[in-house]
Amino acid sequence: AGFRLLVMDLPGHGLSSYPTGISLTVDDLARALHEFVGTLRLKKIHLVGHSLGGAIALRYAAKFATNLVSFTNIEGNLVSEDCGILSREIRNRPFFGQEGDFFSAMTNILHHIPLTGYKDFANNYLSRLNSTQAWHDYCQSLIELSDSGELLKAFLELTVRRTYIHGDQNQPALLSTLEQNGIEIIAIPGSSHWPMCSNPEEFYNQLATSLDSSKGLTQ
């Protein structure tokens, strides 16, 4: 209640096509988000980013945002360790066959990770329309930014309300650093990297509670 939830398909994901002949980076996606927000003429926003989306949102916040009220990072990439399971796996695998071969291989990898939510993500998301090229381009750029330390620096320097959400099956090493810098930490029970898949009711209740703590906002 009191909020509008807006979600954009990244190029090459969902129903958005991926351009031919060029490679998009995380910073390109941040500019796309900037145009998205500008087109809708949003005056005040709570920015919520998960995984790759957390990195995109951070670059947007650092380069463009003047209308942020809060920033919620859901296991978004901040440091090198955040590229452990998927990003480097995708970058290092020569998936040059059919799109179906790529996503079949990725689904198989995710099905063998013994953590809650990975199989659900593979079954529910990788079965949708996606671009192999988009995954490779995004992961290359994401790894470079995560390894550089720029993402963590940007998160710590934000002057708006900051929240970090993670699954209780994951205990990122930087939790104490975030807490020491005044960032609210929320652990979602029975979840790993995809709390919105593993425990959606608890995840959205916690997110709503966090956003409601910033009052007087209509967008």
Side-chain angles (χ1 to χ4, degrees):
F3 297 95
R4 287 186 295 161
L5 177 61
L6 305 176
V7 186
M8 61 180 278
D9 282 341
L10 299 178
H13 288 54
L15 298 179
S16 292
S17 61
Y18 194 75
T20 58
I22 63 173
S23 297
L24 297 181
T25 67
V26 169
D27 283 342
D28 291 325
L29 299 177
R31 281 188 286 273
L33 176 58
H34 177 54
E35 294 179 9
F36 179 81
V37 170
T39 298
L40 295 178
R41 298 180 180 179
L42 304 179
K43 297 177 181 179
K44 294 180 179 179
I45 61 174
H46 296 273
L47 199 55
V48 181
H50 168 256
S51 199
L52 165 66
I56 297 168
L58 273 174
R59 297 299 276 183
Y60 164 81
K63 292 174 175 288
F64 303 111
T66 58
N67 52 357
L68 274 190
V69 178
S70 71
F71 189 105
T72 302
N73 189 323
I74 309 165
E75 291 201 22
N77 283 65
L78 294 173
V79 293
S80 295
E81 290 76 9
D82 294 327
C83 297
I85 293 178
L86 281 178
S87 305
R88 297 187 197 277
E89 184 78 33
I90 292 171
R91 183 191 65 173
N92 294 336
R93 280 176 171 257
F95 291 120
F96 298 121
Q98 298 296 316
E99 300 266 324
D101 296 339
F102 171 84
F103 292 110
S104 175
M106 289 309 304
T107 297
N108 185 58
I109 291 171
L110 291 171
H111 275 205
H112 284 84
I113 296 174
L115 292 171
T116 306
Y118 281 80
K119 184 179 294 187
D120 292 335
F121 174 78
N123 293 341
N124 295 327
Y125 181 76
L126 294 184
S127 60
R128 302 178 189 175
L129 296 175
N130 289 273
S131 161
T132 299
Q133 189 63 48
W135 278 68
H136 278 282
D137 293 345
Y138 296 166
C139 287
Q140 177 64 38
S141 174
L142 181 64
I143 291 168
E144 291 172 0
L145 278 174
S146 300
D147 289 347
S148 74
E150 293 180 42
L151 296 175
L152 177 59
K153 182 174 182 291
F155 190 37
L156 297 181
E157 291 180 349
L158 286 177
T159 57
V160 298
R161 179 183 177 87
R162 300 160 300 171
T163 301
Y164 184 88
I165 297 179
H166 67 98
D168 66 346
Q169 296 175 9
N170 290 340
Q171 295 295 322
L174 50 69
L175 285 182
S176 60
T177 298
L178 300 181
E179 204 162 18
Q180 290 166 12
N181 281 271
I183 294 169
E184 177 188 24
I185 307 294
I186 298 175
I188 305 299
S191 302
S192 58
H193 187 60
W194 283 281
M196 69 290 295
C197 296
S198 307
N199 192 349
E201 183 174 358
E202 181 67 16
F203 167 75
Y204 283 106
N205 282 335
Q206 290 280 7
L207 179 61
T209 298
S210 178
L211 297 185
D212 278 336
S213 63
S214 300
K215 299 297 183 180
L217 313 167
T218 59
Q219 293 197 43

